[in-house]
Amino acid sequence: MNCLEARIAKDGVVKEGNVLKVDSFLNHQMDIALMNEIGKEFYERFKDLPINKILTIEASGIAIAYAVAQQFGVPLLFAKKSKSINIAGDTYVAEVESFTHKNKNTVLVSKQFLTKDDHVLIIDDFLANGCALQGLISIVDQAGGTVEGIGIAIEKGFQVGGQIIRNLGYRLESLAIVESMDPATGKVFFREQ
Ligand code: G4P
């Protein structure tokens, strides 16, 4: 069991509806020592690639992506969520639907900060249905850049996102893949990796 899996087992809270709350250490209150460990782990997994930029999506992806960007010594770029329809022409835009929150967001990245010369590592906290990731991949594609890899802290292995992204041929690494959760006992079962 790696340090993230151990922390989920200790402090994660399993809710009805297959929701895993990690508010006490990952996406509300954040454990910075854990973030730094996660940053180092992603560096080890992706250091063979010519990565020159880390891309994530606000809000909770930013802290993890910061730790990763620090290890690589490259800029962190985050896609902004917007409900506005007044989108200026100098941005790349993707529609992201959230099944969890039952809403749609437009996500934006300024063309100034992403170009065909960028070799991008995409980082996010959760992978569920993969909509956020597909939006980020689309934004890199629009820029003509290269998605070198994708790093996820917690993948919900029983939802379709991981399979979709791997079938598209991307190098996807998830530090913890949850196979199932039991709200009655609070137990979380991880995929062996
Ligand atoms: P997808 O992006 O993989 O398609 O997933 P989905 O639409 O289902 O998830 C939307 C949001 O819900 C994402 O956050 C994702 O991180 C979060 N989420 C999904 N499943 C869980 C879960 O079991 N536990 C927790 N804590 N979050 C989950 P977001 O809308 O981008 O929000 P934020 O980054 O601003 O917090």
Side-chain angles (χ1 to χ4, degrees), residues 84-102:
S84 162
I85 50 167
N86 295 319
I87 307 298
D90 55 355
T91 51
Y92 301 114
V93 179
E95 279 284 310
V96 171
E97 193 166 353
S98 166
F99 292 96
T100 306
H101 298 308
K102 310 266 181 289

Side-chain angles (χ1 to χ4, degrees), residues 2 5 155-159 162-163 166 174-180 188-193:
N2 66 37
E5 290 171 331
E155 176 179 336
K156 294 166 87 181
F158 51 87
Q159 289 183 243
Q163 201 184 343
R166 289 187 181 93
S174 300
L175 300 190
I177 303 181
V178 176
E179 279 297 13
S180 63
V188 179
F189 301 91
F190 298 102
R191 187 179 299 172
E192 291 282 340
Q193 300 196 69

Side-chain angles (χ1 to χ4, degrees), residues 1-9 25-26 34 38 125 152-154 175-176 190:
M1 196 180 265
N2 66 37
C3 67
L4 180 59
E5 290 171 331
R7 191 60 179 271
I8 294 167
F25 59 95
L26 196 76
L34 178 67
I38 291 174
D125 57 342
I152 297 293
I154 305 174
L175 300 190
F190 298 102

Side-chain angles (χ1 to χ4, degrees), residues 27-128:
N27 60 12
H28 191 23
Q29 173 170 266
M30 290 173 180
D31 181 331
I32 299 306
L34 178 67
M35 295 295 155
N36 288 333
E37 284 308 308
I38 291 174
K40 286 180 193 155
E41 181 60 34
F42 280 130
Y43 179 72
E44 286 304 315
R45 292 182 186 215
F46 291 107
K47 67 182 178 192
D48 58 311
L49 299 170
I51 289 158
N52 71 338
K53 197 157 286 186
I54 308 298
L55 177 67
T56 189
I57 182 167
E58 64 178 355
S60 18
I62 294 174
I64 297 172
Y66 175 105
V68 179
Q70 188 165 48
Q71 292 298 317
F72 277 92
V74 302
L76 156 62
L77 177 63
F78 65 92
K80 297 190 176 193
K81 291 177 184 166
S82 165
K83 298 228 182 304
S84 162
I85 50 167
N86 295 319
I87 307 298
D90 55 355
T91 51
Y92 301 114
V93 179
E95 279 284 310
V96 171
E97 193 166 353
S98 166
F99 292 96
T100 306
H101 298 308
K102 310 266 181 289
N103 64 5
K104 263 191 189 174
N105 277 300
T106 301
V107 300
L108 311 170
V109 167
S110 169
K111 289 184 178 173
Q112 194 185 346
F113 302 126
L114 198 59
T115 72
K116 62 175 180 32
D117 299 326
D118 282 318
H119 292 261
V120 178
L121 175 60
I122 296 176
I123 295 287
D124 208 356
D125 57 342
F126 267 95
L127 170 57

Side-chain angles (χ1 to χ4, degrees), residues 134-151:
Q134 292 192 67
L136 293 177
I137 291 168
S138 158
I139 281 176
V140 179
D141 287 346
Q142 289 171 51
T146 307
V147 176
E148 292 285 351
I150 300 171

